Amino acid sequence: MAAQEKVIPTIIVHGGAGNMHKHEQVLAEYLKGIKIAVKAGYQALCGDTGSALNAVEAAVSSMEDFHIFNTGRGSNLTVDGEIEMDGFIMEGKEFRTGAVTCVQHITNPVQLARMVMEKTDHICLAGPGANKFAKLMGVPEVSTESLTVEKRRQMLEEFKTFLPAVKKEYKKETRLSLDDHDTVGAVAIDVDGNIACATSTGGITAKLEGRVGDSPMIGCGGYCDDNYGGISTTGHGEAIARVTLARNVIFYMEQGLSAQAAAEKGLHYMENKIQSQGGVIVLDRYGEVGKYWTTEGMPWAYMRKGELHYGLFEGDEFVEKIDDINT
């Protein structure tokens, strides 16, 4: 895209792909959280100081703070009852990226990931090293109890080993409530055509200590290139990493597919190749939206021109005009 060309600022977010019972109260909470997040991101995207990086950080931070999502204050528990989170952020102009994995005792992994990107020469910090860096950066330390919600404790009791959790969460023959899915993410493009993506997760219930999924891995949990587009993924992390789902979808866009067609092709490839499911959100370099999932549902929302679009299930496309946000 030529430097002088302007695009319509757009942000899209997801709250994780999974199988679900249609409990109205739970679904309403997901819609509430996803709408709050996309509005927060859109506010950080627009205006004189707006940027794609600020937008995805703000949107994902919002979901990390909202108890319904499996990250930050709603994270899943390891097999030992601990919380280990992953966060990732990337910009598509110079491919700068930052990530943390197996980080504990903080509320917003995505914010720490951005600090890794901007304040170190590294792209990822893990475990105790990530926590030591967080302390150095003045990030407040919080207790595991403050990040734990009761439904996650109940899920740990049900799932005592990793494999049954994966089978129940991502196989269509066994349905779980919407509470049980994983990653959250965001992709944004600003008026200058800069693209950014971010992804954050508490991982899967009853994972082993030290387990690293796809989220902090470049080209797996997310990827962006200003020349083509950006993506955030959700699903079974090991499967997503095996097919480098995020980079694969961007590759399809490089070959000329639209954001939507590339999203569908990438997920079908993963399902056909290794029989695993998931979801993606995608923006191309013009701000056109792609969203697709092979599970029962995925909370999603996007904003552009002051309009908020959102949904949960196949065929959903609810639209609200937002008048009180800078457009």
mmCIF file of all heavy atoms in Angstrom, residues 39-70:
data_model
loop_
_atom_site.group_PDB
_atom_site.id
_atom_site.type_symbol
_atom_site.label_atom_id
_atom_site.label_comp_id
_atom_site.label_asym_id
_atom_site.label_seq_id
_atom_site.Cartn_x
_atom_site.Cartn_y
_atom_site.Cartn_z
ATOM 1 N N LYS A 39 -15.011 -1.918 21.711
ATOM 2 C CA LYS A 39 -15.150 -0.471 21.895
ATOM 3 C C LYS A 39 -13.863 0.125 22.467
ATOM 4 O O LYS A 39 -13.417 1.209 22.047
ATOM 5 C CB LYS A 39 -16.328 -0.166 22.815
ATOM 6 C CG LYS A 39 -17.691 -0.427 22.198
ATOM 7 C CD LYS A 39 -18.792 -0.171 23.230
ATOM 8 C CE LYS A 39 -20.164 -0.537 22.699
ATOM 9 N NZ LYS A 39 -21.224 -0.333 23.719
ATOM 10 N N ALA A 40 -13.263 -0.561 23.444
ATOM 11 C CA ALA A 40 -12.002 -0.083 24.017
ATOM 12 C C ALA A 40 -10.919 -0.023 22.950
ATOM 13 O O ALA A 40 -10.142 0.942 22.880
ATOM 14 C CB ALA A 40 -11.570 -0.989 25.171
ATOM 15 N N GLY A 41 -10.864 -1.049 22.115
ATOM 16 C CA GLY A 41 -9.885 -1.068 21.047
ATOM 17 C C GLY A 41 -10.127 0.016 20.015
ATOM 18 O O GLY A 41 -9.192 0.660 19.532
ATOM 19 N N TYR A 42 -11.394 0.239 19.689
ATOM 20 C CA TYR A 42 -11.738 1.243 18.681
ATOM 21 C C TYR A 42 -11.398 2.645 19.168
ATOM 22 O O TYR A 42 -10.918 3.489 18.398
ATOM 23 C CB TYR A 42 -13.221 1.137 18.335
ATOM 24 C CG TYR A 42 -13.633 1.918 17.108
ATOM 25 C CD1 TYR A 42 -13.214 1.516 15.843
ATOM 26 C CD2 TYR A 42 -14.452 3.043 17.210
ATOM 27 C CE1 TYR A 42 -13.593 2.211 14.703
ATOM 28 C CE2 TYR A 42 -14.839 3.751 16.080
ATOM 29 C CZ TYR A 42 -14.410 3.329 14.831
ATOM 30 O OH TYR A 42 -14.781 4.021 13.707
ATOM 31 N N GLN A 43 -11.624 2.914 20.443
ATOM 32 C CA GLN A 43 -11.256 4.213 21.008
ATOM 33 C C GLN A 43 -9.759 4.443 20.919
ATOM 34 O O GLN A 43 -9.296 5.560 20.671
ATOM 35 C CB GLN A 43 -11.718 4.311 22.459
ATOM 36 C CG GLN A 43 -13.222 4.491 22.617
ATOM 37 C CD GLN A 43 -13.630 4.594 24.072
ATOM 38 O OE1 GLN A 43 -13.226 3.779 24.892
ATOM 39 N NE2 GLN A 43 -14.440 5.584 24.397
ATOM 40 N N ALA A 44 -8.967 3.382 21.119
ATOM 41 C CA ALA A 44 -7.512 3.495 21.031
ATOM 42 C C ALA A 44 -7.020 3.530 19.591
ATOM 43 O O ALA A 44 -5.866 3.888 19.340
ATOM 44 C CB ALA A 44 -6.861 2.322 21.765
ATOM 45 N N LEU A 45 -7.890 3.185 18.662
ATOM 46 C CA LEU A 45 -7.525 3.147 17.244
ATOM 47 C C LEU A 45 -7.738 4.487 16.562
ATOM 48 O O LEU A 45 -6.972 4.863 15.668
ATOM 49 C CB LEU A 45 -8.367 2.074 16.541
ATOM 50 C CG LEU A 45 -8.146 1.842 15.049
ATOM 51 C CD1 LEU A 45 -6.732 1.338 14.786
ATOM 52 C CD2 LEU A 45 -9.174 0.824 14.528
ATOM 53 N N CYS A 46 -8.772 5.195 16.970
ATOM 54 C CA CYS A 46 -9.164 6.421 16.289
ATOM 55 C C CYS A 46 -8.592 7.659 16.980
ATOM 56 O O CYS A 46 -8.104 7.593 18.103
ATOM 57 C CB CYS A 46 -10.685 6.512 16.237
ATOM 58 S SG CYS A 46 -11.448 5.175 15.305
ATOM 59 N N GLY A 47 -8.648 8.781 16.306
ATOM 60 C CA GLY A 47 -8.144 10.026 16.874
ATOM 61 C C GLY A 47 -6.702 10.284 16.489
ATOM 62 O O GLY A 47 -6.031 9.460 15.855
ATOM 63 N N ASP A 48 -6.204 11.431 16.896
ATOM 64 C CA ASP A 48 -4.868 11.866 16.492
ATOM 65 C C ASP A 48 -3.762 10.955 17.010
ATOM 66 O O ASP A 48 -2.713 10.833 16.380
ATOM 67 C CB ASP A 48 -4.619 13.301 16.978
ATOM 68 C CG ASP A 48 -5.536 14.318 16.311
ATOM 69 O OD1 ASP A 48 -6.040 14.001 15.208
ATOM 70 O OD2 ASP A 48 -5.749 15.394 16.890
ATOM 71 N N THR A 49 -3.966 10.346 18.167
ATOM 72 C CA THR A 49 -2.929 9.491 18.752
ATOM 73 C C THR A 49 -3.245 8.007 18.595
ATOM 74 O O THR A 49 -2.564 7.164 19.173
ATOM 75 C CB THR A 49 -2.757 9.816 20.248
ATOM 76 O OG1 THR A 49 -4.001 9.586 20.927
ATOM 77 C CG2 THR A 49 -2.333 11.265 20.440
ATOM 78 N N GLY A 50 -4.261 7.694 17.818
ATOM 79 C CA GLY A 50 -4.654 6.307 17.655
ATOM 80 C C GLY A 50 -3.648 5.510 16.847
ATOM 81 O O GLY A 50 -2.970 6.035 15.961
ATOM 82 N N SER A 51 -3.547 4.222 17.156
ATOM 83 C CA SER A 51 -2.673 3.327 16.395
ATOM 84 C C SER A 51 -3.189 1.907 16.502
ATOM 85 O O SER A 51 -3.898 1.556 17.450
ATOM 86 C CB SER A 51 -1.230 3.392 16.909
ATOM 87 O OG SER A 51 -1.105 2.723 18.150
ATOM 88 N N ALA A 52 -2.819 1.085 15.533
ATOM 89 C CA ALA A 52 -3.235 -0.316 15.537
ATOM 90 C C ALA A 52 -2.673 -1.040 16.754
ATOM 91 O O ALA A 52 -3.362 -1.864 17.379
ATOM 92 C CB ALA A 52 -2.792 -1.002 14.249
ATOM 93 N N LEU A 53 -1.420 -0.760 17.116
ATOM 94 C CA LEU A 53 -0.817 -1.408 18.281
ATOM 95 C C LEU A 53 -1.565 -1.054 19.564
ATOM 96 O O LEU A 53 -1.873 -1.935 20.373
ATOM 97 C CB LEU A 53 0.652 -1.006 18.417
ATOM 98 C CG LEU A 53 1.703 -1.956 17.853
ATOM 99 C CD1 LEU A 53 3.084 -1.344 17.995
ATOM 100 C CD2 LEU A 53 1.654 -3.328 18.513
ATOM 101 N N ASN A 54 -1.859 0.229 19.733
ATOM 102 C CA ASN A 54 -2.606 0.632 20.928
ATOM 103 C C ASN A 54 -3.975 -0.029 20.969
ATOM 104 O O ASN A 54 -4.482 -0.398 22.032
ATOM 105 C CB ASN A 54 -2.768 2.144 20.962
ATOM 106 C CG ASN A 54 -1.467 2.875 21.237
ATOM 107 O OD1 ASN A 54 -0.496 2.277 21.695
ATOM 108 N ND2 ASN A 54 -1.442 4.157 20.944
ATOM 109 N N ALA A 55 -4.576 -0.179 19.799
ATOM 110 C CA ALA A 55 -5.922 -0.739 19.718
ATOM 111 C C ALA A 55 -5.965 -2.196 20.143
ATOM 112 O O ALA A 55 -6.820 -2.598 20.941
ATOM 113 C CB ALA A 55 -6.467 -0.581 18.297
ATOM 114 N N VAL A 56 -5.054 -3.017 19.617
ATOM 115 C CA VAL A 56 -5.107 -4.444 19.966
ATOM 116 C C VAL A 56 -4.714 -4.663 21.419
ATOM 117 O O VAL A 56 -5.249 -5.542 22.090
ATOM 118 C CB VAL A 56 -4.241 -5.301 19.013
ATOM 119 C CG1 VAL A 56 -4.782 -5.228 17.587
ATOM 120 C CG2 VAL A 56 -2.768 -4.915 19.050
ATOM 121 N N GLU A 57 -3.777 -3.852 21.917
ATOM 122 C CA GLU A 57 -3.421 -3.967 23.334
ATOM 123 C C GLU A 57 -4.603 -3.609 24.222
ATOM 124 O O GLU A 57 -4.890 -4.304 25.210
ATOM 125 C CB GLU A 57 -2.235 -3.066 23.664
ATOM 126 C CG GLU A 57 -1.804 -3.154 25.119
ATOM 127 C CD GLU A 57 -0.686 -2.201 25.479
ATOM 128 O OE1 GLU A 57 -0.328 -1.335 24.640
ATOM 129 O OE2 GLU A 57 -0.171 -2.301 26.608
ATOM 130 N N ALA A 58 -5.313 -2.527 23.880
ATOM 131 C CA ALA A 58 -6.455 -2.107 24.689
ATOM 132 C C ALA A 58 -7.573 -3.132 24.661
ATOM 133 O O ALA A 58 -8.189 -3.441 25.692
ATOM 134 C CB ALA A 58 -6.964 -0.753 24.196
ATOM 135 N N ALA A 59 -7.865 -3.680 23.479
ATOM 136 C CA ALA A 59 -8.950 -4.651 23.358
ATOM 137 C C ALA A 59 -8.646 -5.927 24.130
ATOM 138 O O ALA A 59 -9.500 -6.446 24.868
ATOM 139 C CB ALA A 59 -9.195 -4.975 21.882
ATOM 140 N N VAL A 60 -7.444 -6.450 23.974
ATOM 141 C CA VAL A 60 -7.082 -7.687 24.660
ATOM 142 C C VAL A 60 -6.975 -7.459 26.162
ATOM 143 O O VAL A 60 -7.400 -8.307 26.957
ATOM 144 C CB VAL A 60 -5.791 -8.278 24.071
ATOM 145 C CG1 VAL A 60 -5.280 -9.442 24.928
ATOM 146 C CG2 VAL A 60 -6.038 -8.758 22.645
ATOM 147 N N SER A 61 -6.443 -6.309 26.570
ATOM 148 C CA SER A 61 -6.386 -5.996 28.004
ATOM 149 C C SER A 61 -7.781 -5.994 28.615
ATOM 150 O O SER A 61 -7.983 -6.455 29.743
ATOM 151 C CB SER A 61 -5.725 -4.630 28.227
ATOM 152 O OG SER A 61 -4.367 -4.652 27.869
ATOM 153 N N SER A 62 -8.746 -5.462 27.865
ATOM 154 C CA SER A 62 -10.127 -5.439 28.346
ATOM 155 C C SER A 62 -10.642 -6.852 28.603
ATOM 156 O O SER A 62 -11.288 -7.109 29.626
ATOM 157 C CB SER A 62 -11.019 -4.732 27.327
ATOM 158 O OG SER A 62 -12.380 -4.811 27.699
ATOM 159 N N MET A 63 -10.336 -7.773 27.697
ATOM 160 C CA MET A 63 -10.790 -9.150 27.881
ATOM 161 C C MET A 63 -10.026 -9.841 28.994
ATOM 162 O O MET A 63 -10.579 -10.691 29.706
ATOM 163 C CB MET A 63 -10.695 -9.912 26.555
ATOM 164 C CG MET A 63 -11.729 -9.455 25.548
ATOM 165 S SD MET A 63 -11.745 -10.396 24.000
ATOM 166 C CE MET A 63 -10.361 -9.647 23.144
ATOM 167 N N GLU A 64 -8.759 -9.490 29.182
ATOM 168 C CA GLU A 64 -7.997 -10.041 30.309
ATOM 169 C C GLU A 64 -8.591 -9.598 31.644
ATOM 170 O O GLU A 64 -8.494 -10.324 32.640
ATOM 171 C CB GLU A 64 -6.536 -9.592 30.208
ATOM 172 C CG GLU A 64 -5.779 -10.237 29.064
ATOM 173 C CD GLU A 64 -4.406 -9.641 28.840
ATOM 174 O OE1 GLU A 64 -4.189 -8.461 29.247
ATOM 175 O OE2 GLU A 64 -3.548 -10.318 28.239
ATOM 176 N N ASP A 65 -9.208 -8.432 31.661
ATOM 177 C CA ASP A 65 -9.795 -7.904 32.893
ATOM 178 C C ASP A 65 -11.214 -8.406 33.150
ATOM 179 O O ASP A 65 -11.746 -8.217 34.244
ATOM 180 C CB ASP A 65 -9.832 -6.368 32.839
ATOM 181 C CG ASP A 65 -8.452 -5.748 32.918
ATOM 182 O OD1 ASP A 65 -7.538 -6.398 33.465
ATOM 183 O OD2 ASP A 65 -8.294 -4.607 32.431
ATOM 184 N N PHE A 66 -11.819 -9.037 32.141
ATOM 185 C CA PHE A 66 -13.221 -9.447 32.229
ATOM 186 C C PHE A 66 -13.280 -10.930 32.578
ATOM 187 O O PHE A 66 -12.763 -11.775 31.855
ATOM 188 C CB PHE A 66 -13.918 -9.179 30.891
ATOM 189 C CG PHE A 66 -15.417 -9.110 30.977
ATOM 190 C CD1 PHE A 66 -16.049 -7.913 31.244
ATOM 191 C CD2 PHE A 66 -16.187 -10.246 30.790
ATOM 192 C CE1 PHE A 66 -17.434 -7.837 31.316
ATOM 193 C CE2 PHE A 66 -17.572 -10.187 30.864
ATOM 194 C CZ PHE A 66 -18.201 -8.981 31.124
ATOM 195 N N HIS A 67 -13.938 -11.270 33.667
ATOM 196 C CA HIS A 67 -13.845 -12.606 34.267
ATOM 197 C C HIS A 67 -14.307 -13.750 33.373
ATOM 198 O O HIS A 67 -13.923 -14.897 33.567
ATOM 199 C CB HIS A 67 -14.681 -12.633 35.545
ATOM 200 C CG HIS A 67 -16.155 -12.481 35.269
ATOM 201 N ND1 HIS A 67 -16.989 -13.550 35.089
ATOM 202 C CD2 HIS A 67 -16.926 -11.372 35.127
ATOM 203 C CE1 HIS A 67 -18.216 -13.126 34.849
ATOM 204 N NE2 HIS A 67 -18.203 -11.805 34.869
ATOM 205 N N ILE A 68 -15.123 -13.477 32.385
ATOM 206 C CA ILE A 68 -15.710 -14.555 31.589
ATOM 207 C C ILE A 68 -14.713 -15.211 30.642
ATOM 208 O O ILE A 68 -14.867 -16.372 30.248
ATOM 209 C CB ILE A 68 -16.937 -14.030 30.793
ATOM 210 C CG1 ILE A 68 -17.828 -15.192 30.310
ATOM 211 C CG2 ILE A 68 -16.501 -13.178 29.617
ATOM 212 C CD1 ILE A 68 -18.642 -15.818 31.411
ATOM 213 N N PHE A 69 -13.655 -14.475 30.280
ATOM 214 C CA PHE A 69 -12.699 -14.987 29.302
ATOM 215 C C PHE A 69 -11.566 -15.753 29.966
ATOM 216 O O PHE A 69 -11.163 -15.451 31.093
ATOM 217 C CB PHE A 69 -12.126 -13.838 28.474
ATOM 218 C CG PHE A 69 -13.157 -13.102 27.672
ATOM 219 C CD1 PHE A 69 -13.527 -11.820 28.026
ATOM 220 C CD2 PHE A 69 -13.770 -13.703 26.584
ATOM 221 C CE1 PHE A 69 -14.482 -11.134 27.298
ATOM 222 C CE2 PHE A 69 -14.731 -13.025 25.858
ATOM 223 C CZ PHE A 69 -15.096 -11.740 26.210
ATOM 224 N N ASN A 70 -11.040 -16.709 29.244
ATOM 225 C CA ASN A 70 -9.962 -17.554 29.745
ATOM 226 C C ASN A 70 -8.609 -16.894 29.501
ATOM 227 O O ASN A 70 -7.829 -17.293 28.657
ATOM 228 C CB ASN A 70 -10.017 -18.932 29.082
ATOM 229 C CG ASN A 70 -8.796 -19.777 29.449
ATOM 230 O OD1 ASN A 70 -8.139 -19.535 30.445
ATOM 231 N ND2 ASN A 70 -8.495 -20.747 28.609
#
